C-alpha cells in the first residue's frame, strides 16, 4: 500500500476498552469473567480456521475487498471524469446498496458538504441519496437536481429490487424528457452483479456505464466494493486510504489470541452478553455526529445478518440481538435514561474519537453564572470527551455492560478499520450462533409479497394470498 508509513498506520490503530464488560468492574450478575471469554477461544479458533478455509476456496469475497487496489484506481479515474462532467451525484439504492456510501460521505465530508461551493468542496460533487420510495421525497429531489448537471448511480446487487428499479424508471424517464433519448445515457451509471439481474441486461442494451459488485459479495458487506468506493471517490474521499485501513484491520483479525484479535474479541463480548447475560439489545453509540450513519449501516448489517429463524442444521433457533442506534451526546437526553435505569437487557458499544480535526473553544464569558463559568477556556472536544467517558462510567456504576472502540482520529484509514471490524464481528458472531449470516430469507419474503401485490409476473400465488388477507381486513375492495 502506498498509504502513509507503518508508523503512522500503527498510530491510527483503533483500540477496544472492554473494562466495563468484566465482572471485576461491574459485578458477576451482568459482567463476564475473563475465563468465560477465554473459554470461547477454541470455538473461535475453529470458526477462524473454517472462515480462512472458505476464503481460500474463493468464498466470503468481502474479505478480499481491501486488497482490490487496481479496481479502486479504475474507480478513481472514472470518478475524476464524472467530477469533470457533472456537479451532482445521486445514488439510487436501498439497504446495503446505500447505507455504506451514506456512512462514508457523512463521516468524511464537510458536515454541510452540499451547501459549500464547488471550490470549497475541493471539486467534489454534491451528494444525494435516494433510498426510499416516498413520493414527496422523490418529487422534491427532482426539484433540486439539475438534469444537465446530475449523474444517477443506480445500485442494486440483484438488479431487481422494487424500490430501486421503480426509482430508476422514474429518473430515467425524467432524464429522457429533459435531455433526450441519446443524452440521458451519459447520466446513468449502474453498479450491479456482473452476470445476473434485469438491470445488468438493461445497462448492456442501453449502453450505460457500469461497475460490478463481485458475485459473492452481498449488499450489506459491499461497502468496500464499487458500491461504496464510487460515491466515496465522487465526494472527494481518499478511497485508497479507506482500503488501507480495512487491510490493516484484516491483519489484526488474523491474530490467534481472542483478546488481541478485535473481531474475535467483540464477537465474543456480543455473543456472551446475549447468551449468558440476557443482553438482547446491542446498542452502538458513537460520540461523533459524523458517525451517526455508520450506526444506521451497522444496524442493517447486524439485523439482516444475525436475525435468523433456522441454524445451519435447520433447527428453529430464532436468534439475533436487536441492534439499536444511539448518538452521543444528544441521546444522553433521550435513550440514556432507559439504558441506565430500564431493563438489564442491553450491551452498549461506544465509539469515541480521541482527536477531532477541529475544535471550538468556549470563550471565558458570563463567568458569574455557574452553568457557564466552568466551561470558559475549555473546548467542545473536551466536553464531548468528558461526556463519553462519564456516560460509560455511570453505566458501569449501575452494572450496565459497555465497551468502547477508540479511534485516534476519524479519517479514511480509521473508517476503513471500523467498517472491516464491524463486518468481521458480525460474521464471527453469526458463526457463534451457528447460523448463516450471509442470507436474508425474511427480507426476501417481504420483497416477494410486494411483487405479488404489485402484480409482478411469477408471484401470482403470493399476490393472491396477500390480496385475500387485505380484503378480509377491508383494505381492498
Ligand atoms: O444487505 C442486503 O443484502 C440487503 O440489504 C440489500 O442490500 C437490499 O435488499 C437491496 O438489495 P439489492 O442490492 O439487490 O437491490
Amino acid at each position: 500500500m502506498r498509504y502513509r508509513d507503518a508508523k503512522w498506520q500503527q498510530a491510527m490503530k483503533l483500540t477496544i476498552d472492554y473494562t466495563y464488560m468484566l465482572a471485576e468492574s461491574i459485578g458477576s450478575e451482568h459482567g463476564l469473567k475473563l475465563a468465560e471469554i477465554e473459554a470461547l477461544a477454541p470455538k473461535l479458533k475453529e470458526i477462524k480456521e473454517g472462515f480462512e478455509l472458505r476464503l481460500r476456496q474463493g468464498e466470503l469475497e468481502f474479505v478480499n475487498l481491501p486488497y482490490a487496489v487496481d479496481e479502486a484506481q479504475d474507480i478513481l479515474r472514472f470518478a475524476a471524469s464524472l467530477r469533470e462532467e457533472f456537479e451532482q451525484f445521486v445514488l439510487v439504492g436501498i439497504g446495503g446498496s446505500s447505507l455504506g456510501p451514506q456512512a462514508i460521505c457523512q463521516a468524511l465530508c464537510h458536515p454541510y458538504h452540499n451547501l459549500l461551493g464547488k471550490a470549497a468542496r475541493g471539486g467534489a460533487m454534491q451528494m444525494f441519496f435516494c433510498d426510499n420510495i416516498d413520493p414527496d421525497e422523490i418529487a422534491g429531489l427532482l426539484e433540486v437536481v439539475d438534469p444537465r448537471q446530475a449523474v444517477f448511480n443506480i445500485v442494486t446487487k440483484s438488479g431487481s429490487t422494487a424500490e430501486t428499479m421503480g426509482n430508476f424508471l422514474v429518473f430515467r424517464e425524467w432524464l429522457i424528457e429533459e435531455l433526450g433519448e441519446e443524452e440521458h445515457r451519459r447520466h446513468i451509471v449502474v453498479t450491479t452483479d456482473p452476470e445476473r439481474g434485469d438491470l445488468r441486461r438493461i445497462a448492456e442494451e442501453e449502453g450505460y456505464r457500469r461497475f460490478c459488485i463481485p458475485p459473492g459479495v452481498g449488499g450489506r458487506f459491499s461497502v468496500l466494493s464499487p458500491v461504496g468506493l464510487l460515491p466515496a471517490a465522487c465526494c472527494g474521499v481518499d478511497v485508497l486510504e479507506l482500503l488501507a485501513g480495512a487491510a490493516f484491520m484484516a491483519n489484526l483479525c488474523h491474530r490467534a489470541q481472542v483478546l488481541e484479535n478485535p473481531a474475535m474479541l467483540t464477537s465474543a463480548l456480543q455473543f456472551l452478553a446475549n447468551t449468558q447475560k440476557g443482553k438482547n439489545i446491542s446498542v452502538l453509540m458513537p460520540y461523533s455526529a459524523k458517525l451517526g450513519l455508520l450506526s444506521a449501516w451497522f444496524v442493517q448489517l447486524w439485523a439482516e445478518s444475525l436475525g435468523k429463524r433456522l441454524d445451519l442444521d435447520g433447527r428453529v433457533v430464532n436468534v439475533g440481538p436487536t441492534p439499536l442506534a444511539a448518538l452521543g451526546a444528544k441521546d444522553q437526553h433521550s435513550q440514556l435514561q432507559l439504558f441506565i435505569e430500564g431493563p438489564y437487557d442491553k450491551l452498549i458499544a461506544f465509539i469515541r474519537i480521541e482527536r477531532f480535526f477541529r475544535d471550538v473553544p468556549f470563550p471565558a464569558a458570563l463567568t458569574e453564572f455557574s452553568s457557564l463559568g466552568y466551561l470558559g477556556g475549555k473546548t467542545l472536544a473536551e466536553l464531548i470527551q468528558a461526556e463519553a467517558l462519564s456516560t460509560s462510567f455511570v453505566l458501569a456504576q449501575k452494572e450496565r455492560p459497555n465497551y468502547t472502540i477508540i479511534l485516534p482520529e476519524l479519517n479514511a484509514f480509521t473508517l476503513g478499520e471500523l467498517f472491516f471490524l464491524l463486518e468481521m464481528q458480525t460474521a464471527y458472531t453469526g458463526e457463534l450462533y451457528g447460523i448463516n449470516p450471509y442470507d436474508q430469507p425474511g427480507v426476501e419474503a417481504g420483497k416477494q409479497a410486494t411483487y405479488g401485490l404489485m402484480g409482478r409476473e411469477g408471484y401470482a400465488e403470493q399476490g393472491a394470498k396477500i390480496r385475500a388477507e387485505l380484503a378480509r381486513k377491508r383494505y381492498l375492495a
Side-chain angles (χ1 to χ4, degrees):
M1 294 278 171
R2 74 180 173 88
Y3 264 84
R4 320 283 182 113
D5 59 12
K7 195 166 159 218
W8 181 85
Q9 296 200 350
Q10 275 304 323
M12 288 300 124
K13 183 170 120 185
L14 59 80
T15 50
I16 297 157
D17 177 356
Y18 58 97
T19 317
Y20 293 153
M21 290 299 297
L22 298 179
E24 61 197 44
S25 299
I26 62 166
S28 54
E29 194 179 345
H30 301 287
L32 299 169
K33 296 197 180 68
L34 259 185
E36 281 175 290
I37 301 175
E38 273 156 3
L40 214 52
K43 179 76 189 152
L44 280 163
K45 181 169 176 275
E46 190 187 307
I47 288 171
K48 183 167 167 291
E49 285 168 3
F51 198 85
E52 286 167 357
L53 177 69
R54 288 177 69 187
L55 247 179
R56 286 195 295 279
Q57 291 169 341
E59 295 179 53
L60 308 175
E61 280 178 74
F62 76 93
V63 181
N64 293 324
L65 293 174
Y67 310 103
V69 174
D70 290 345
E71 287 84 342
Q73 302 273 17
D74 289 344
I75 288 173
L76 277 171
R77 278 188 287 275
F78 183 70
S81 71
L82 284 186
R83 286 163 63 154
E84 291 281 306
E85 284 176 76
F86 305 104
E87 276 270 331
Q88 299 172 322
F89 185 100
V90 185
L91 190 148
V92 183
I94 197 166
S97 288
S98 179
L99 288 164
Q102 290 189 46
I104 297 176
C105 293
Q106 188 187 52
L108 301 176
C109 291
H110 187 283
Y112 298 98
H113 180 86
N114 279 358
L115 299 183
L116 299 177
K118 191 165 183 176
R121 294 195 307 268
M125 298 166 81
Q126 287 183 321
M127 304 301 290
F128 299 89
F129 294 93
C130 171
D131 67 350
N132 210 336
I133 41 170
D134 181 320
D136 276 332
E137 192 181 25
I138 304 299
L141 182 71
L142 293 181
E143 284 162 4
V144 296
V145 166
D146 175 353
R148 287 169 301 279
Q149 288 298 334
V151 62
F152 287 78
N153 181 205
I154 316 297
V155 186
T156 162
K157 176 76 197 303
S158 60
S160 63
T161 302
E163 296 86 347
T164 305
M165 295 302 272
N167 282 332
F168 160 65
L169 265 188
V170 171
F171 295 132
R172 176 179 177 274
E173 196 62 19
W174 180 71
L175 286 170
I176 291 173
E177 272 167 23
E178 297 285 332
L179 305 170
E181 181 78 37
E182 187 56 36
E183 172 62 6
H184 100 276
R185 299 195 170 95
R186 205 169 59 81
H187 292 251
I188 293 181
V189 176
V190 160
T191 307
T192 191
D193 190 278
E195 279 144 27
R196 295 181 312 123
D198 286 351
L199 190 63
R200 184 200 57 82
R201 273 192 45 211
I202 296 167
E204 270 171 20
E205 281 164 21
E206 294 275 7
Y208 298 144
R209 294 176 281 186
R210 50 180 201 280
F211 281 93
C212 294
I213 309 172
V217 175
R220 57 192 176 274
F221 290 89
S222 69
V223 62
L224 299 173
S225 78
V227 171
L229 299 189
L230 179 60
C234 288
C235 70
V237 167
D238 186 338
V239 299
L240 295 176
E241 192 165 294
L242 188 74
L243 293 184
F248 181 82
M249 177 52 67
N251 246 342
L252 299 179
C253 295
H254 281 311
R255 291 175 169 179
Q257 302 301 320
V258 175
L259 300 182
E260 286 168 19
N261 177 320
M264 280 189 178
L265 173 62
T266 55
S267 58
L269 297 176
Q270 293 281 346
F271 178 73
L272 291 171
N274 176 234
T275 55
Q276 309 293 314
K277 304 291 174 186
K279 309 303 168 212
N280 293 325
I281 298 177
S282 176
V283 180
L284 186 64
M285 185 166 180
Y287 271 75
S288 157
K290 287 179 148 248
L291 292 177
L293 290 172
L294 178 99
S295 296
W297 169 82
F298 171 73
V299 162
Q300 193 255 347
L301 172 70
W302 191 256
E304 238 176 59
S305 300
L306 301 185
K308 296 290 152 71
R309 189 171 85 89
L310 300 178
D311 70 8
L312 291 169
D313 296 321
R315 286 182 298 242
V316 175
V317 285
N318 295 117
V319 293
T322 302
L324 186 68
L327 188 63
K330 72 178 183 182
D331 275 319
Q332 286 182 205
H333 302 268
S334 166
Q335 302 190 67
L336 188 66
Q337 172 62 29
L338 183 66
F339 299 169
I340 292 184
E341 293 198 343
Y344 280 86
D345 57 358
K346 295 171 199 69
L347 160 59
I348 295 142
F350 293 107
I351 303 178
R352 188 163 64 75
I353 299 171
E354 276 187 325
R355 282 182 303 283
F356 286 82
F357 281 118
R358 295 199 290 185
D359 203 355
V360 178
F362 293 116
L366 304 172
T367 49
E368 66 277 23
F369 292 97
S370 66
S371 62
L372 296 169
Y374 74 104
L375 293 173
K378 301 195 181 72
T379 69
L380 279 172
E382 282 177 76
L383 182 58
I384 200 167
Q385 293 295 6
E387 296 205 13
L389 293 167
S390 326
T391 305
S392 164
F393 169 79
V394 169
L395 282 163
Q397 295 287 295
K398 303 284 182 191
E399 302 182 7
R400 308 285 173 155
N402 67 90
Y403 66 89
T404 304
I405 302 173
I406 303 162
L407 270 57
E409 303 173 350
L410 177 57
N411 56 36
F413 189 88
T414 55
L415 185 67
E417 287 184 79
L418 206 44
F419 275 133
F420 198 80
L421 167 61
L422 295 172
E423 286 180 344
M424 288 296 289
Q425 170 192 310
T426 305
Y428 278 9
T429 309
E431 302 275 356
L432 284 167
Y433 285 112
I435 52 99
N436 176 3
Y438 309 108
D439 65 0
Q440 56 283 328
V443 175
E444 296 305 330
K447 282 185 182 181
Q448 289 176 14
T450 305
Y451 294 151
L453 193 56
M454 294 292 286
R456 181 173 170 178
E457 198 186 337
Y459 297 88
E461 199 184 320
Q462 291 95 323
K465 266 194 213 158
I466 189 164
R467 276 175 190 286
E469 174 61 6
L470 292 178
R472 191 182 68 80
K473 290 171 74 179
R474 299 183 198 284
Y475 286 127
L476 289 182

